[in-house]
């Protein structure tokens, strides 16, 4: 994490000396808190949106328009580069064109597109299925042709490790790079050896992304360990939801048991603390300044 007021592009950060750590966010509140913590980039997770907006599983239920609206709201609050989970592109190559344009206009800095069939499912669930390598390459070409700026990055994700094996996943990743991807993401390697093989085979060709899922299929490594292996970007997409959900469950149980928040107060912001993080005083100051200007 560097967070030098964030003028550097995501592409620029990925070419820097240190791995980029992008925590998962799902709305403007979590994004603003993550930016305040000093992160160089943020990751708008499709799974996190499904969990929080729908209260349901990560099974491809979040729509393109819902994601674009989340991007717009987050961008109003934060300057940090925003990497967005675009699932399968929400359809064929023509859908990918529309998705890329919508996400870029809304304020995203990168889109991740995967080669699962639609509806997709979480990359760490069983029984996934894939589109052909050729169809996915076509989607990547569509994404590259549709973006307005080369600073908008295209991340190609393959879920082939679980379906076709590691060799096929590497072949697919290579094809997606040739089609125009800027970063490669081989999802759900099952051990340290797989993580190392991916970087050995692909790391000299494009920046590589790793995904750390608590309780998922991939061993949990920290950012420095992944950087040593050759990864340039690591996301922790659902960690915030798992943390919030566990806290919320405990909070509601405490309130139901005690009829008061008093036993939970040391685990909460109070009224003033939360308003400080929301920027309430500054917002009121700006409103008052506009009122004074009008009254002249």
């Amino acid at each position: 994490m560097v967070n030098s007021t964030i003028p550097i592009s995501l592409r620029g950060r990925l070419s820097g000396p240190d791995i980029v750590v992008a925590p998962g966010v799902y709305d403007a509140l979590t994004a603003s808190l993550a930016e305040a913590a000093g992160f160089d980039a943020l990751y708008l997770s499709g799974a996190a949106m499904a969990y929080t907006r729908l209260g349901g599983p990560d099974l491809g239920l979040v729509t393109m328009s819902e994601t674009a609206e989340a991007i717009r709201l987050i961008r109003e609050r934060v300057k940090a580069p925003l990497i967005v989970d675009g699932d399968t592109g929400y359809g064929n190559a023509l859908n990918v064109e529309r998705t890329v344009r919508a996400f870029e206009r809304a304020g995203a800095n990168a889109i991740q597109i995967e080669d699962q069939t639609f509806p997709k499912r979480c990359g760490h669930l069983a029984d996934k299925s894939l589109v052909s390598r050729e169809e996915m390459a076509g989607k990547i070409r569509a994404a590259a042709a549709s973006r307005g700026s080369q600073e908008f990055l295209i991340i190609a994700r393959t879920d082939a490790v679980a379906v076709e094996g590691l060799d096929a996943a590497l072949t697919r990743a290579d094809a997606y790079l040739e089609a125009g991807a800027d970063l490669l993401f081989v999802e759900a390697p099952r051990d340290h050896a797989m993580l190392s093989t991916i970087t050995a085979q692909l790391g000299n060709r494009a920046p590589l992304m790793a995904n750390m899922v608590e309780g998922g299929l991939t061993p949990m490594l920290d950012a420095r360990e992944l950087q040593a292996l050759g990864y340039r970007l690591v996301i922790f997409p659902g960690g915030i939801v798992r943390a919030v959900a566990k806290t919320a469950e405990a909070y509601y149980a405490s309130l139901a048991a005690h009829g008061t928040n008093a036993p939970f107060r040391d685990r909460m912001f109070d009224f003033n603390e939360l308003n400080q993080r929301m920027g309430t005083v500054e917002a009121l100051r700006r409103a008052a300044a506009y009122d004074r200007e009008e009254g002249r």
Side-chain angles (χ1 to χ4, degrees):
M1 296 183 293
V2 177
N3 194 359
S4 54
T5 65
I6 327 211
I8 303 174
S9 70
L10 180 59
R11 188 184 293 277
R13 292 187 182 279
L14 289 166
S15 64
D18 297 322
I19 190 171
V20 174
V21 179
V25 302
Y26 55 82
D27 62 7
L29 173 60
T30 52
S32 63
L33 293 172
E35 182 179 70
F39 287 97
D40 285 337
L42 310 176
Y43 181 81
L44 178 56
S45 162
M49 287 185 61
Y51 301 151
T52 57
R53 289 176 66 95
L54 307 180
D58 180 20
L59 297 176
L61 300 175
V62 176
T63 67
M64 185 272 278
S65 57
E66 288 172 330
T67 305
E69 176 64 10
I71 297 167
R72 283 190 289 270
L73 293 172
I74 290 169
R75 184 50 72 212
E76 288 185 11
R77 286 288 282 129
V78 304
K79 296 179 180 178
L82 184 63
I83 303 161
V84 179
D85 180 0
D87 286 346
T88 65
Y90 309 99
N92 63 17
L94 296 181
N95 295 99
V96 169
E97 287 182 340
R98 183 165 181 253
T99 297
V100 166
R101 290 193 295 264
F103 285 13
E104 188 174 11
R105 284 195 302 266
N109 301 92
I111 185 172
Q112 171 199 304
I113 305 172
E114 65 200 58
D115 58 5
Q116 287 194 52
T117 57
F118 185 84
K120 54 76 54 87
R121 60 178 60 197
C122 172
H124 291 254
L125 291 176
D127 300 324
K128 296 179 288 185
S129 60
L130 308 179
V131 299
S132 70
R133 184 176 67 197
E134 293 75 19
E135 180 178 343
M136 178 62 176
K139 289 185 178 185
I140 298 299
R141 286 193 293 272
S146 302
R147 59 184 167 184
S149 168
Q150 293 297 308
E151 292 300 321
F152 182 85
L153 304 183
I154 298 161
I155 303 171
R157 163 177 152 178
T158 179
D159 285 73
V161 169
V163 181
E164 300 174 343
L166 179 59
D167 288 342
L170 296 172
T171 300
R172 279 177 171 263
D174 189 69
Y176 304 159
L177 181 62
E178 292 296 326
D182 299 294
L183 289 87
L184 297 174
F185 171 19
V186 179
E187 172 66 303
R190 294 187 296 273
D191 52 40
H192 196 282
M194 278 192 179
L195 286 164
S196 298
T197 299
I198 291 165
T199 56
Q201 294 294 317
L202 300 172
N204 64 341
R205 303 205 58 212
L208 300 180
M209 174 173 141
N211 180 20
M212 295 290 102
V213 177
E214 300 81 4
L217 298 173
T218 303
M220 292 293 292
L221 304 182
D222 64 35
R224 285 174 294 184
E225 291 172 311
L226 289 164
Q227 179 174 320
L229 287 175
Y231 288 89
R232 302 300 305 139
L233 170 65
V234 56
I235 59 171
F236 293 81
I240 181 60
V241 182
R242 282 182 272 280
V244 167
K246 186 166 185 176
T247 301
E249 184 177 82
Y251 164 77
Y252 290 124
S254 176
L255 181 58
H258 302 287
T260 174
N261 285 332
F264 214 81
R265 282 290 300 276
D266 62 346
R267 299 174 63 183
M268 301 168 60
F269 288 134
D270 68 18
F271 179 80
N272 291 322
E273 289 170 333
L274 187 59
N275 274 307
Q276 187 274 327
R277 285 157 179 82
M278 297 302 101
T280 304
V281 171
E282 171 58 20
L284 291 172
R285 184 199 65 75
R286 293 200 314 275
Y290 289 128
D291 289 342
R292 288 193 298 273
E293 185 70 24
E294 182 179 344
R296 288 185 179 180

